[in-house]
Amino acid sequence: MSQSVSLMEQAAGGMIGAPRRLQETGAWRLLQIEFKCLRWTAAGKSAVPRNGGIRKSIAPHRTRKSFLSCQDQASPKFRASHSSHFQRWGCIHRITRSTHGGLVKGAATAGFPEVGLQEEVNNVGEKRSLLPDFINFLNEAWTPFHAVVVAKRLLGEAGFKQISEENEWAVEPGGRYYFTRNMSTIIAFAVGQKYQAGEGFLVVAAHTDSPCLKLKPVSAVSKSGFLNVGVQTYGGGLWYTWFDRDLSVAGRVLLRCKDGGVLHKLVKVERPILRIPTLAIHLDRSVNADGFKPNLETHLSPVLATQVKSALSIPAEEGNGAITSARKNHHSILLEVLAGELHCQAEDIADFDLNVCDTQPSCIGGAKNEFIFSGRLDNLASSFCALQALIDACNDPEALVAESGIRMVALFDNEEVGSESAQGAGSPTMFQAMKRITRWLARDVSTEGIVERTIRKSFLVSADMAHALHPNYPDKHEENHQPKLHEGLVIKHNANQRYATDSVTSFLFKEVAQTRGIPTQVNSH
């Protein structure tokens, strides 16, 4: 019912398979590659991504809860020099070591001893634990909106300045900046002080969204004396794993202001208010033989309250429990819960984008405390590592002094549904930013093809999760392509160009990993 993942992918156990293309037009193509965090899953097929944008493997068979190994973790670290793509590539993994007790014991890995999220050793020899930060990140980031808020806070504390796509940009060498789109996608970058017109971008891209249930635009459903919430599936998930869990809601709410404006606020109801109950075995004797096959429209509707209990807490004129308005879209009791969290009136709620979330917190587990048990690891794990790497690599006041490129992290929304939204990786968001940055920095230089040359000198690592060999389902993997925990980052290939990995990008990645003592493995499917 659960997946098991190893954060090895950011250290030993990843999947690299660059998406098919990252381009705005056919003439633009970044050198790119994808690495992914290994996880165990009960099924092994991956959906074929569409053309365009940043494309990753989309695994349709995905449980909500995952195990992630915290023994084998190294976060991407940005380093750059001046000559080749290999020398300039800024996404290199910093090895982290667990040298004494605590949550992580120093279990040896194949060619990669005692590495973990437990202790980070930076350039000046200082040590700090990344594990509590990562657990906190998982527990705060219930939705892409919350993930971006946390990212903004961390970037702000690290000296990054927020800019807006709607305003003029005046970025300068040595500067650190970030902007958001839709409150669910964030792009951060730091400009090297030795930047010269035409130098490339060094990018780590990940995504902030995960498979989940989302409330429908009209969510008020009443059945057999109960108030249910209408939901729809988002992305590819093992939806039966959502049954019999302590569920709640989180997301973005639009509030009407007294001056006629609209205010965006985030909400996260941490107490369980929803449940999707399974039918008792006494009423479904054949379920174990025939399998559990719920109807996603009728059986996957969370129970919010009974109509009797709800009626006692709402005005009589709202008899059916739905808010009285031009459209009775949502149950009044749900709106009252949201209003209580937001300290407003239910009538102030104009609309919302809400996800159904599991209230069980992320935690450390396993007999040796070697796993992280959590939902949303795909892809908050890579998002956290990319973000932390950029921050750590820029913390030193001298960090950007010798840098000639532009370090960038792009955390996109809507990867789970194809990335084709305005805030997805298939949108021109990142390329528009690259254009604006490049043209502004080259404003005093008369040079041909500055944007196109910059793109050609760039390197992008698309970081995501992937399926490790499952001990209970080894037959789901080809004999010669079995990504294994503790055996290194996995470079992902596909003959039909579902990923942009080729011999060049694969070689570059392996060379960089080797310089940091990080093993690699390959996979093709």
Side-chain angles (χ1 to χ4, degrees):
M1 187 174 182
S2 296
Q3 294 171 325
S4 183
V5 185
S6 173
L7 244 199
M8 274 185 52
E9 245 151 305
Q10 296 0 285
M15 265 214 169
I16 298 182
R20 182 179 179 188
R21 305 185 288 173
L22 175 60
Q23 55 187 21
E24 185 177 18
T25 69
W28 289 13
R29 183 177 182 277
L30 280 172
L31 268 176
Q32 59 187 300
I33 200 160
E34 179 174 333
F35 78 80
K36 294 188 174 183
C37 236
L38 289 181
R39 63 158 177 251
W40 293 341
T41 185
K45 292 185 178 180
S46 294
V48 178
R50 301 172 187 171
N51 292 342
I54 300 178
R55 289 291 169 258
K56 308 180 186 71
S57 168
I58 303 174
H61 307 288
R62 196 169 292 162
T63 61
R64 295 175 50 268
K65 205 73 175 175
S66 297
F67 297 173
L68 180 119
S69 170
C70 50
Q71 287 183 343
D72 301 301
Q73 168 65 30
S75 56
K77 182 176 182 179
F78 292 77
R79 301 196 327 168
S81 55
H82 302 286
S83 54
S84 67
H85 280 297
F86 161 58
Q87 292 174 320
R88 295 188 60 262
W89 179 42
C91 307
I92 199 164
H93 286 76
R94 177 173 56 257
I95 297 177
T96 62
R97 296 189 179 277
S98 176
T99 56
H100 49 72
L103 293 176
V104 180
K105 301 295 183 181
T109 62
F112 201 71
E114 297 187 350
V115 293
L117 272 170
Q118 184 65 13
E119 216 170 55
E120 177 187 84
V121 183
N122 63 22
N123 291 336
V124 294
E126 297 174 346
K127 298 179 180 180
R128 68 183 181 88
S129 173
L130 290 176
L131 189 55
D133 293 342
F134 181 49
I135 295 295
N136 290 337
F137 183 73
L138 290 170
N139 284 325
E140 288 189 70
W142 278 19
T143 72
F145 303 115
H146 291 85
V148 167
V149 165
V150 177
K152 288 174 60 177
R153 184 182 73 233
L154 296 175
L155 289 166
E157 292 172 352
F160 283 72
K161 176 183 177 181
Q162 183 170 6
I163 55 179
S164 171
E165 290 185 283
E166 298 177 358
N167 301 330
E168 291 186 359
W169 290 2
V171 300
E172 299 296 340
R176 309 168 190 184
Y177 311 90
Y178 72 88
F179 68 90
T180 67
R181 179 174 286 194
N182 188 50
M183 298 174 66
S184 61
T185 285
I186 186 167
I187 294 179
F189 59 95
V191 185
Q193 291 188 10
K194 289 188 176 181
Y195 177 83
Q196 296 181 351
E199 291 295 328
F201 288 79
L202 313 168
V203 189
V204 176
H207 65 92
T208 58
D209 62 320
S210 303
C212 66
L213 303 177
K214 289 182 177 287
L215 270 65
K216 290 183 176 181
V218 179
S219 70
V221 176
S222 299
K223 300 182 188 180
S224 307
F226 290 89
L227 301 184
N228 292 53
V229 176
V231 297
Q232 51 194 338
T233 60
Y234 173 85
L238 288 173
W239 304 118
Y240 66 82
T241 65
W242 287 77
F243 284 75
D244 300 323
R245 288 185 178 269
D246 300 334
L247 304 176
S248 191
V249 294
R252 175 175 62 182
V253 178
L254 276 62
L255 300 178
R256 294 188 182 90
C257 302
K258 293 181 179 179
D259 61 2
V262 177
L263 178 66
H264 295 233
K265 277 196 172 184
L266 298 190
V267 66
K268 182 169 69 171
V269 183
E270 297 192 7
R271 66 184 180 93
I273 62 172
L274 299 171
R275 188 84 170 185
I276 308 175
T278 304
L279 185 62
I281 185 65
H282 310 80
L283 303 177
D284 191 7
R285 293 289 187 183
S286 63
V287 64
N288 290 325
D290 299 340
F292 183 42
K293 302 174 183 178
N295 182 307
L296 300 186
E297 184 63 32
T298 59
H299 300 155
L300 201 62
S301 180
V303 175
L304 177 66
T306 62
Q307 286 184 329
V308 171
K309 191 69 173 180
S310 176
L312 296 176
S313 61
I314 59 175
E317 61 268 20
E318 298 182 22
N320 69 347
I323 188 170
T324 299
S325 62
R327 295 179 298 169
K328 297 180 178 179
N329 293 343
H330 310 288
H331 289 305
S332 289
I333 191 170
L334 174 61
L335 297 176
E336 292 293 341
V337 170
L338 296 176
E341 294 286 333
L342 296 169
H343 306 291
C344 68
Q345 299 298 315
E347 293 74 18
D348 297 335
I349 298 176
D351 208 342
F352 51 65
D353 298 302
L354 293 182
N355 294 359
V356 176
C357 304
D358 189 354
T359 61
Q360 182 177 346
S362 304
C363 65
I364 304 301
K368 291 292 186 179
N369 289 320
E370 61 181 315
F371 298 115
I372 297 173
F373 296 164
S374 177
R376 303 178 303 281
L377 289 173
D378 181 356
N379 188 27
L380 292 183
S382 299
S383 294
F384 173 82
C385 290
L387 184 67
Q388 195 63 55
L390 178 61
I391 292 172
D392 288 351
C394 295
N395 270 343
D396 186 344
E398 303 298 317
L400 298 175
V401 172
E403 175 65 83
S404 62
I406 300 175
R407 306 168 179 179
M408 177 178 281
V409 165
L411 308 181
F412 294 102
D413 193 6
N414 301 133
E415 186 273 349
E416 299 290 350
V417 291
S419 299
E420 296 296 337
S421 66
Q423 57 275 0
S427 72
T429 306
M430 189 176 70
F431 275 100
Q432 289 174 350
M434 287 179 167
K435 285 182 183 178
R436 296 181 67 173
I437 296 167
T438 300
R439 288 172 177 168
W440 174 258
L441 292 173
R443 61 190 182 280
D444 298 326
V445 179
S446 178
T447 180
E448 181 274 334
I450 186 66
V451 174
E452 291 79 4
R453 289 192 286 113
T454 296
I455 296 298
R456 293 300 302 177
K457 289 184 178 180
S458 298
F459 198 100
L460 180 141
V461 174
S462 180
D464 204 341
M465 312 293 281
H467 303 287
L469 180 67
H470 196 302
N472 297 339
Y473 301 88
D475 57 313
K476 294 297 182 179
H477 286 81
E478 182 186 335
E479 181 179 359
N480 294 326
H481 295 92
Q482 298 181 343
K484 296 178 181 179
L485 305 184
H486 304 300
E487 293 192 12
L489 296 168
V490 180
I491 303 174
K492 196 170 186 180
H493 298 259
N494 183 269
N496 294 312
Q497 293 297 292
R498 288 171 54 192
Y499 305 102
T501 304
D502 56 24
S503 59
V504 176
T505 56
S506 176
F507 170 77
L508 293 176
F509 194 94
K510 286 186 287 187
E511 288 293 295
V512 174
Q514 186 176 13
T515 66
R516 305 299 292 183
I518 300 172
T520 58
Q521 49 185 322
V522 296
N523 186 46
S524 177
H525 74 84

